[in-house]
Amino acid sequence: MRTWHWGEHTRYNPTLARMLDAAAVEKFVLQGWAPPEPPIRRDTRIMAIGSAFSCDVAAALSQRGYRVLNAEAPKAYVTARGEDLLTSFAIRQQLEWAWENRTFETGLWHGQQVETCTYLPETQAETKRVLDRTEFFILTFAHSEVWYDEPTGDVFWRTIPKDVFDPARHRFRVSTIEENRDNLRAIYRLIRKHRPAARILFSLSPVPMIATFRDNSCLSSNSVSKAILRAAIDEVVREFAAEGSLGYWPAYELLTDVFRQPFRPDRRHPRDRVSDYVTTLFEHVWCAEPHAAPSSLTLAWASACAEAELLPPPMARFILGQRQRRLRVLIRNNDPLHGDEQTDKALRKLGADVLAAWASDATRADAAGDSGDE
């Protein structure tokens, strides 16, 4: 009987039942992306650059006791302007400005309040100082739509202030995979040149664009924008994989492919427990010698699933309310939790894992007692 050649590595798309297990993300999302050993230690100097999501990761790691440099360089745009450095062009400009003394003919950098961010020598010097101290770079790229200055080809951080907009020279375009690939290569090589021992982690922001400048829906444009960046990142990560300094963190896949409703009602910012799970997972995968014992990955996963509406409503309420007795009764009775038999079984196993995790943590067990249960 004839059959197909499946290649050396064949990975299957998981069913819902398989994805409910607390270890599912490790099997079906992190596969191929996790380091052999966590490289980040307590004193590793970390910097997260690009997008609000990257800033959230930096803040969470800092709160958990890791050495994050973002708060130590308040004048540097790479640390203070996370929500403005959304493209590979913007991040490349910052590295070339600080390390290679690149100059720009026009004012390209503007913040969210339409303020001008100038090319001050002291800001440039502080940017170089913080880059020179960084040992682990987390670089998150958000979108590929850009406004640019046609005579010079230089790209703006975002659009152009209305009072200086010149239709004769200011243009909009969707940047290509090739352009972003070239930027990512340049960013990688700049870090390897100036910080040869540093580790680099590329990531794609899961936060959708708030608006598009194309003449079609923002939802469609966002899909294209993310696809361009994801393809460029994948090409560059594969290109330099053998050097052992560059990795990828699948934050985009975690939020868009794993959870059903990962965002708040604004449909852009991750829900708190979903964000907590992503940073908890990051700590488990990338960080050694944490300042304190890492949070339970099982509990973080179950809470994220509950908040993102992957679980039946009663089960979600009992997990988020830490109602042990009610959760125990729910998973032990014969009433179906889901119409699919395998999914039902997976839900009951997840509930049992949550109860076991609560029982193994005295602090959580005290906080998750039956007070409030009827």
Side-chain angles (χ1 to χ4, degrees):
M1 179 178 178
R2 299 183 72 188
T3 186
W4 300 106
H5 171 66
W6 293 106
E8 185 178 351
H9 303 291
T10 304
R11 314 298 186 198
Y12 293 95
N13 194 29
T15 63
L16 175 58
R18 287 179 176 271
M19 277 307 301
L20 287 171
D21 190 274
V25 168
E26 181 180 355
K27 295 177 183 177
F28 301 114
V29 184
L30 294 184
Q31 192 172 58
W33 304 122
E37 297 291 337
I40 296 176
R41 301 191 176 276
R42 294 180 186 179
D43 58 351
T44 301
R45 295 189 295 270
I46 307 165
M47 184 162 58
I49 306 175
S51 91
F53 187 80
S54 189
C55 294
D56 290 344
V57 172
L61 290 175
S62 181
Q63 290 172 1
R64 296 181 187 189
Y66 294 96
R67 182 74 183 277
V68 180
L69 300 182
N70 289 55
E72 298 182 18
K75 293 181 181 179
Y77 299 144
V78 290
T79 56
R81 294 283 180 175
E83 295 192 19
D84 297 315
L85 306 181
L86 302 177
T87 68
S88 64
F89 296 87
I91 295 177
R92 179 179 178 177
Q93 287 173 0
Q94 289 299 303
L95 301 190
E96 291 180 338
W97 180 54
W99 272 332
E100 305 284 296
N101 204 30
R102 180 183 174 187
T103 59
F104 305 93
E105 296 180 19
T106 57
L108 300 172
W109 305 342
H110 300 92
Q112 292 188 77
Q113 305 305 316
V114 204
E115 72 275 23
T116 297
C117 298
T118 57
Y119 311 131
L120 290 174
E122 53 266 38
T123 306
Q124 182 185 27
E126 181 160 327
T127 304
K128 183 179 185 303
R129 279 196 298 270
V130 72
L131 292 175
D132 284 343
R133 296 169 58 213
T134 302
E135 298 171 305
F136 196 101
F137 291 84
I138 303 171
L139 305 175
T140 306
F141 307 93
H143 63 74
S144 52
E145 291 191 2
V146 298
W147 285 86
Y148 65 100
D149 181 61
E150 189 172 50
T152 64
D154 291 333
V155 172
F156 292 87
W157 275 0
R158 47 184 73 240
T159 185
I160 301 96
K162 190 173 182 179
D163 60 345
V164 296
F165 176 73
D166 181 357
R169 67 181 298 164
H170 297 148
R171 298 282 188 267
F172 166 81
R173 74 171 186 272
V174 179
S175 60
T176 65
I177 295 175
E178 290 74 22
E179 286 178 298
N180 284 281
R181 183 184 60 203
D182 290 345
N183 288 338
L184 297 175
R185 280 176 177 158
I187 289 167
Y188 173 78
R189 287 169 175 155
L190 280 164
I191 295 174
R192 295 287 286 148
K193 173 182 177 182
H194 294 275
R195 298 292 295 155
R199 295 287 295 268
I200 308 161
L201 197 62
F202 284 171
S203 186
L204 176 61
S205 172
V207 178
M209 295 191 303
I210 194 171
T212 182
F213 294 100
R214 299 176 61 187
D215 189 20
N216 51 243
S217 71
C218 185
L219 294 179
S220 298
S221 293
N222 183 70
S223 295
V224 173
S225 179
K226 299 296 187 184
I228 287 170
L229 279 172
R230 186 63 190 88
I233 290 171
D234 194 67
E235 286 192 27
V236 174
V237 170
R238 284 188 285 118
E239 180 179 350
F240 296 109
E243 296 185 11
S245 297
L246 178 62
Y248 174 69
W249 177 243
Y252 178 77
E253 291 85 340
L254 281 169
L255 265 74
T256 59
D257 288 340
V258 173
F259 298 109
R260 180 175 296 164
Q261 292 290 345
F263 298 109
R264 299 175 189 172
D266 65 4
R267 285 173 43 85
R268 297 192 67 246
H269 294 91
R271 296 175 186 265
D272 290 342
R273 291 181 178 87
V274 173
S275 183
D276 287 345
Y277 170 71
V278 174
T279 52
T280 299
L281 181 66
F282 184 97
E283 184 176 11
H284 277 259
V285 172
W286 285 96
C287 300
E289 299 181 355
H291 182 71
S295 302
S296 165
L297 202 53
T298 296
L299 295 179
W301 167 251
S303 296
C305 287
E307 193 174 54
E309 301 180 15
L310 275 175
L311 307 181
M315 186 174 182
R317 288 198 304 273
F318 299 157
I319 288 175
L320 294 178
Q322 299 185 4
R323 297 182 175 182
Q324 295 186 57
R325 181 165 58 83
R326 291 193 173 190
L327 179 62
R328 188 177 294 111
V329 170
L330 179 70
I331 65 174
R332 287 181 177 177
N333 67 26
N334 294 321
D335 295 334
L337 299 176
H338 195 279
D340 175 70
E341 182 179 351
Q342 293 301 314
T343 303
D344 186 275
K345 185 183 298 184
L347 287 166
R348 294 179 195 278
K349 180 182 181 303
L350 178 61
D353 290 343
V354 169
L355 290 169
W358 278 333
S360 69
D361 187 326
T363 303
R364 287 184 179 276
D366 290 340
D370 287 343
S371 59
D373 275 356
E374 298 176 1

